[in-house]
């Protein structure tokens, strides 16, 4: 019988050792990433950490590109941690010795408030990107004004027809920043469109699968509800939807407002297949986030909010 307490002691000892190992290796990894960032050039004045989701998204690639450029230009070392606020690196960030953090907030507001407060109490200045966290603490925020995104969608939609429109608005897990503030997006749409909607907006959603948008558009156009305007908040979904409308020979009958800009989208705009696109600037979000954070570290204060702008580009009639 006496062997059971001994076995339990050994068992919990092993668990503790494993947990300690992973905690230490995470902190060492975080510090090591910073050290590697410094080794490519002159010593950097500040060490910053960028926490972004681990998802295949052009948006986050551009955020990273802008942040990396700003760090090189403005004299900071930048470590990048995919997995965002769900990563072990984020949970241990307050012990890592970083001077500041740029964070894309996770979806759980209460959990984010707690974790941000921990970092703040550890004396680590923070900048949030793309969407904020409802809190008494005025966290610095760099991102897109999602009300303006919706307003520009509404303005463009109103130009497309004198008749009231049936609109389907498709959010995507691939562009979580816009989805997280969908109420502001739709408020902007309603502000611009007024009574120009034939019925309430049909709200749909796609996941990370690139085929989601194709299946959604096929089902929507065959099974209803009836819509004559499709609005997408992700670049890849926009391209997939255009291809479906072309395949079904519905160009002109079903209008599409998309998101983002690349060579294929530019071609569809020139050919009049896309009614228009809304373009945000994730590169500038990343760049300005580093700039704002360094401003706080060097000068002791920073802007509460930096709007990186929204552009509407119309297709050819």
């Amino acid at each position: 019988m006496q062997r059971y307490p001994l076995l339990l002691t050994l068992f919990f000892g092993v668990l503790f050792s494993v947990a300690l190992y992973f905690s230490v290796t995470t902190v060492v990894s975080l510090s090591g990433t910073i050290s590697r960032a410094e080794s490519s050039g002159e010593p950097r004045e500040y060490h910053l950490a960028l926490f972004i989701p681990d998802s295949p998204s052009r948006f986050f690639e551009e955020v990273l590109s802008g942040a990396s450029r700003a760090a090189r230009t403005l004299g900071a070392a930048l470590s990048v941690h995919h997995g965002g606020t769900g990563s072990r690196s984020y949970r241990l960030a307050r012990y890592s010795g970083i001077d500041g953090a740029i964070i894309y907030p996770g979806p759980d507001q209460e959990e984010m408030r707690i974790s941000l407060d921990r970092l703040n109490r550890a004396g680590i200045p923070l900048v949030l990107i793309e969407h904020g966290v409802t809190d008494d603490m005025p966290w610095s925020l760099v991102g897109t004004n999602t009300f303006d995104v919706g307003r520009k969608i509404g303005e463009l939609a109103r130009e497309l027809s004198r008749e009231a429109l049936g609109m389907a608005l498709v959010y995507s897990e691939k562009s979580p920043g816009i989805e997280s503030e969908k109420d502001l997006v739709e408020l902007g749409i309603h502000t611009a469109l007024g009574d120009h909607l034939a019925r309430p907006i049909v709200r749909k959603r796609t996941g990370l699968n690139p085929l989601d948008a194709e299946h959604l558009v096929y089902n929507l156009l065959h099974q209803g509800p009836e819509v004559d305007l499709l609005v997408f908040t992700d670049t890849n979904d926009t391209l997939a939807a255009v291809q479906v409308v072309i395949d079904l020979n519905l160009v002109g009958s079903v209008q599409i407002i998309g998101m983002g800009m690349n060579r294929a989208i530019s071609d569809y705009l020139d050919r009049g297949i896309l009614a228009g696109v809304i373009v945000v600037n994730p590169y500038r979000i990343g760049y300005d986030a580093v700039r704002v954070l360094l401003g706080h570290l060097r000068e002791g204060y920073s802007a509460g909010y930096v709007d990186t702008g929204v552009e509407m580009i119309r297709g050819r009639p």
Side-chain angles (χ1 to χ4, degrees), residues 106-308:
D108 188 322
Q109 290 270 312
E110 182 59 32
E111 182 180 298
M112 282 308 308
R113 281 191 287 268
I114 293 170
S115 68
L116 293 175
D117 184 59
R118 288 195 189 112
L119 291 172
N120 184 58
R121 283 189 278 110
I124 299 174
L126 309 173
V127 171
L128 308 186
I129 56 174
E130 192 56 358
H131 66 99
V133 173
T134 305
D135 199 353
D136 294 333
M137 186 72 178
W139 308 108
S140 293
L141 174 65
V142 176
T144 306
N145 185 325
T146 45
F147 176 84
D148 277 350
V149 170
R151 183 171 57 83
K152 289 186 180 296
I153 290 171
E155 290 172 356
L156 180 54
R158 195 176 186 93
E159 296 174 8
L160 297 178
S161 172
R162 295 182 180 179
E163 305 296 327
L165 293 164
M167 178 190 297
L169 178 54
V170 184
Y171 297 102
S172 177
E173 191 178 343
K174 296 183 284 295
S175 299
I178 293 179
E179 184 187 21
S180 68
E181 298 196 354
K182 53 183 173 288
D183 290 340
L184 276 175
V185 173
E186 291 173 32
L187 178 60
I189 291 173
H190 284 288
T191 299
L193 273 179
D195 59 357
H196 206 63
L197 283 169
R199 61 190 69 85
I201 294 172
V202 177
R203 184 187 290 177
K204 297 289 185 179
R205 184 179 188 271
T206 63
L208 296 177
N209 189 329
L211 297 178
D212 280 357
E214 289 186 23
H215 296 152
L216 185 150
V217 174
Y218 270 113
N219 291 336
L220 191 60
L221 296 181
H222 284 113
Q223 301 173 13
E226 184 178 349
V227 295
D228 39 39
L229 174 61
L230 300 171
V231 179
F232 291 88
T233 61
D234 174 75
T235 303
N236 291 328
D237 286 357
T238 299
L239 293 171
V242 168
Q243 191 58 55
V244 173
V245 169
I246 291 173
D247 291 345
L248 295 177
N249 198 28
L250 292 174
V251 175
S253 300
V254 177
Q255 301 275 13
I256 299 176
I257 296 175
M259 180 70 68
M261 177 58 71
N262 58 28
R263 185 173 298 176
I265 284 180
S266 178
D267 179 59
Y268 287 137
L269 289 168
D270 289 342
R271 292 162 59 190
I273 297 173
L274 268 171
V277 291
I278 305 301
V279 180
V280 300
N281 196 337
Y283 180 93
R284 185 179 165 193
I285 290 172
Y287 192 100
D288 282 353
V290 170
R291 180 181 59 80
V292 168
L293 185 53
L294 286 174
H296 178 86
L297 289 167
R298 288 167 176 162
E299 301 166 19
Y301 65 90
S302 59
Y305 174 60
V306 175
D307 181 2
T308 52

